[in-house]
Amino acid sequence: ETGVTQTPRHLVMGMTNKKSLKCEQHLGHNAMYWYKQSAKKPLELMFVYSLEERVENNSVPSRFSPECPNSSHLFLHLHTLQPEDSALYLCASSQAPRGGSSYNSPLHFGNGTRLTVT
Amino acid sequence: DQQVKQNSPSLSVQEGRISILNCDYTNSMFDYFLWYKKYPAEGPTFLISISSIKDKNEDGRFTVFLNKSAKHLSLHIVPSQPGDSAVYFCAASGDDKIIFGKGTRLHILP
């Protein structure tokens, strides 16, 4: 399998549930990202793992918890979400140049997980 | 405050004609710009990029123009084809961040 794969494609969860989104990249990249896409809003960067260092967006609520066990896998652990967290969650990877910004490399996105919180 | 704006939510263009998608940014620290294309039920795919040291970059039917003084970039697709119907996002990076626009939905008419 090639590219960036995300599972599950669709997820419906209640506000008291705990679930995890999974992302795997087969491109040999050294940076991975979680993005959120809500209706009529720009893509919002949630978390970045670059060269195994986590860069956090301080505006992300603590009910979202990322985990990056190695350079190929990325998880987003979800607990006690709110209905307004319903969105498309996209994982991406890139090859960050050594000493350079990871943001200057094109992102390769997965097809996303469509999350609905009831 | 949106730092990257795509002011046209949608655009319709006749097949074979030129499609021009526009993007404006406000942060003068942005120095690298990218365009992505997104089909329904798929993630965005990278199309073309440009560094701030250039004012034009071309790749086949796709050309990106950058006007730094106006903080404006545009994506030209010529000739437009039915498979170009999609949502196009511009993104700007620099100042240790990357910001996406809201996207423009392009419809190619037969």
Side-chain angles (χ1 to χ4, degrees):
Chain A
E1 199 164 356
T2 58
V4 179
T5 55
Q6 290 186 244
T7 54
R9 290 298 307 271
H10 301 273
L11 178 63
V12 179
M13 61 186 286
M15 289 189 283
T16 57
N17 290 159
K18 287 186 181 181
K19 296 284 184 184
S20 296
L21 310 185
K22 179 182 175 183
C23 176
E24 185 173 359
Q25 60 100 358
H26 308 269
L27 299 167
H29 288 163
N30 58 12
M32 295 187 77
Y33 311 75
W34 280 116
Y35 277 88
K36 176 183 178 182
Q37 186 178 26
S38 305
K40 299 183 180 179
K41 284 190 175 181
L43 279 167
E44 300 171 60
L45 178 63
M46 299 177 73
F47 300 104
V48 182
Y49 279 85
S50 179
L51 301 171
E52 299 180 15
E53 179 183 332
R54 175 170 150 184
V55 176
E56 198 160 341
N57 181 337
N58 292 329
S59 66
V60 180
S62 59
R63 56 186 183 267
F64 295 92
S65 173
E67 179 190 359
C68 189
N70 55 59
S71 60
S72 299
H73 293 86
L74 185 66
F75 296 90
L76 187 63
H77 302 300
L78 316 171
H79 65 97
T80 59
L81 293 193
Q82 304 297 311
E84 60 263 29
D85 296 321
S86 298
L88 179 68
Y89 289 85
L90 289 160
C91 172
S93 70
S94 72
Q95 184 60 27
R98 289 207 173 270
S101 170
S102 60
Y103 300 122
N104 280 10
S105 303
L107 297 167
H108 294 254
F109 286 90
N111 287 333
T113 295
R114 173 69 61 186
L115 174 67
T116 303
V117 181
T118 61
Chain B
D1 180 36
Q2 276 183 263
Q3 296 189 53
V4 177
K5 291 182 182 178
Q6 293 178 256
N7 290 318
S8 298
S10 67
L11 175 69
S12 295
V13 174
Q14 207 74 37
E15 182 179 353
R17 297 286 185 99
I18 183 171
S19 295
I20 300 177
L21 297 107
N22 294 304
C23 180
D24 297 293
Y25 61 96
T26 57
N27 190 335
S28 57
M29 297 294 288
F30 289 145
D31 58 6
Y32 189 68
F33 305 89
L34 309 96
W35 284 95
Y36 290 84
K37 173 181 179 179
K38 185 181 183 302
Y39 292 121
E42 293 184 13
T45 54
F46 170 70
L47 261 182
I48 192 169
S49 63
I50 188 166
S51 163
S52 60
I53 61 172
K54 292 185 169 184
D55 54 18
K56 177 182 174 181
N57 189 25
E58 194 170 350
D59 183 3
R61 296 186 298 114
F62 302 92
T63 304
V64 56
F65 294 92
L66 175 63
N67 182 332
K68 288 187 288 293
S69 60
K71 295 191 179 67
H72 176 83
L73 64 154
S74 60
L75 175 68
H76 292 212
I77 307 173
V78 56
S80 300
Q81 298 175 353
D84 297 329
S85 293
V87 177
Y88 290 79
F89 296 96
C90 75
S93 75
D95 199 17
D96 207 27
K97 59 188 167 193
I98 180 168
I99 305 291
F100 282 80
K102 288 185 179 181
T104 295
R105 184 176 299 278
L106 177 64
H107 300 270
I108 304 302
L109 306 170

